[in-house]
Amino acid sequence: MASAVAALFNIVRTPNIARHKVHNSRICSQIIKQRAKFLLFPSTSVPFQALPEPKQAFSTITCSATDKPTSSSEISSTARIRSEVLTPFRSVRMFFYVAFIASAGLGGLIATTQLIGALTNPSRAAEVTEISKGLAIDVGAVLIFAFLYSRENNAKNAQLARLSREESLSNLKLRVDDKRVIPLSSLRGIARLVICAGPESYISESFRLSQPFTEGLLERGVLVVPFSTDGNVPKFEYEESDEKTSETTSPNRKKLWQLRTYDVSAWSEWLNEQKKMANVSPDSPVYLSLRLDGRVRGSGVGYPPWNAFVAQLPPVKGLWSGLLDGMDGRVL
């Protein structure tokens, strides 16, 4: 009875780390071992009802290998470097904004002390107007440069969030066929991807609507990535739908819709995070179109505008291919 009570006391009691000088992980392992021994070999003299429930006892034990949990929303160093490359003078502008704020703030502090001295000394009453003007200029400068710094910082954070989103997207996997699985980033400079995410009925209807624009989409390097959010794999009927047009349409249709998502959980996590950021319902079907450089060109709720893609995107082959590679539209 005494041994069982002592073992139970060792499980529930918080260990004295300062006295024993042991690592947190070692304390956690010792506590778990003591509890496992106690549960495997309970004393017959102690009623079973007197023992604490396993769920409650284990809820008091916390083991962690790091000081703080990692988060998927943390900005990576690659995204920060890309941000510096895209806007190389932003850091310089922000530095000067801070310097001007400090200078104007110091000048305002000096002007405030002078104004207080002038107000308390009647012989310096004539200086109050000039000192007040200088103080107003300093306060105005602080407000203006603080506004500019805040706007620049907000633009930087928005750009970092966008680059982080694109970096996470580029790491997602695509299945080309039964033997090949590639990251999405490997298609940069090769294809303009259009991601269709929704239930099986939405993807099937998007497949049907893209049929008249198959040739034009392929000429512009467009490849579709269907992602079924309800777990039902859509069945594309190439032969029946394309038999009346031409014999070469069916292989082109297969090429346009050949890609498949790999690691559905990673795709779902990324898509849900983007919907949450855009205040879109989790059940809404959406599409995303990417540029040749892999950045997000456009997105929306509903079916992709296949006709707009054909009208706006330049061909990837021919006279204008190299010149118009960057004319994919602005980045969202």
Side-chain angles (χ1 to χ4, degrees), residues 194-198 202-203 206-207 224-229 257 286-288 302-304 306:
V194 176
I195 303 171
C196 297
Y202 164 79
I203 296 177
S206 299
F207 174 80
V224 184
V225 181
F227 176 52
S228 178
T229 56
W257 291 81
V286 295
Y287 74 90
L288 290 90
Y303 298 104
W306 305 116

Side-chain angles (χ1 to χ4, degrees), residues 118-129:
L119 291 175
T120 57
N121 189 357
S123 61
R124 299 179 57 189
E127 302 177 5
V128 173
T129 303

Side-chain angles (χ1 to χ4, degrees), residues 19-235:
R19 183 173 59 187
H20 295 287
K21 303 294 186 178
V22 292
H23 194 270
N24 290 339
S25 61
R26 187 178 302 173
I27 294 175
C28 294
S29 61
Q30 291 177 358
I31 294 173
I32 295 174
K33 289 179 180 179
Q34 290 177 1
R35 173 165 180 78
K37 180 179 180 181
F38 177 70
L39 293 178
L40 291 176
F41 306 101
S43 176
T44 55
S45 60
V46 180
F48 179 76
Q49 291 80 2
L51 296 175
E53 295 182 2
K55 182 177 180 180
Q56 296 177 353
F58 275 102
S59 62
T60 61
I61 300 174
T62 304
C63 299
S64 177
T66 58
D67 295 335
K68 59 180 180 179
T70 58
S71 175
S72 59
S73 60
E74 293 181 355
I75 306 300
S76 64
S77 59
T78 304
R80 296 184 185 277
I81 293 174
R82 289 183 61 192
S83 177
E84 292 293 336
V85 172
L86 293 173
T87 53
F89 298 106
R90 173 172 287 161
S91 299
V92 178
R93 292 195 300 267
M94 295 180 69
F95 170 78
F96 279 109
Y97 291 156
V98 173
F100 293 152
I101 291 172
S103 177
L106 180 61
L109 181 62
I110 296 174
T112 301
T113 59
Q114 292 177 350
L115 181 61
I116 295 174
L119 291 175
T120 57
N121 189 357
S123 61
R124 299 179 57 189
E127 302 177 5
V128 173
T129 303
E130 293 296 329
I131 296 175
S132 299
K133 290 181 180 179
L135 179 60
I137 293 174
D138 291 333
V139 172
V142 170
L143 295 177
I144 291 174
F145 288 114
F147 169 75
L148 293 176
Y149 179 86
S150 176
R151 187 180 66 172
E152 199 75 43
N153 189 55
N154 292 336
K156 177 183 178 181
N157 293 335
Q159 185 185 55
L160 287 173
R162 183 173 64 248
L163 293 176
S164 180
R165 176 186 65 176
E166 294 171 355
E167 182 182 1
S168 300
L169 176 62
S170 66
N171 293 329
L172 296 178
K173 304 294 184 179
L174 293 174
R175 181 181 294 277
V176 180
D177 50 35
D178 295 337
K179 298 181 180 180
R180 285 190 299 170
V181 175
I182 61 174
L184 189 144
S185 58
S186 63
L187 295 177
R188 287 177 179 172
I190 300 176
R192 299 182 173 103
L193 300 181
V194 176
I195 303 171
C196 297
E200 187 271 338
S201 58
Y202 164 79
I203 296 177
S204 299
E205 185 64 16
S206 299
F207 174 80
R208 187 188 67 82
L209 294 175
S210 68
Q211 192 270 335
F213 308 99
T214 301
E215 298 295 335
L217 292 173
L218 288 177
E219 289 177 359
R220 286 151 180 82
V222 176
L223 294 179
V224 184
V225 181
F227 176 52
S228 178
T229 56
D230 59 0
N232 297 324
V233 180
K235 296 181 180 179

Side-chain angles (χ1 to χ4, degrees), residues 207 211 214 237-247 249-254:
F207 174 80
Q211 192 270 335
T214 301
E237 298 180 358
Y238 300 100
E239 299 294 337
E240 296 181 2
S241 59
D242 300 334
E243 191 176 15
K244 297 180 181 180
T245 55
S246 64
E247 295 181 355
T249 305
S250 180
N252 289 338
R253 295 281 285 162
K254 292 181 179 179

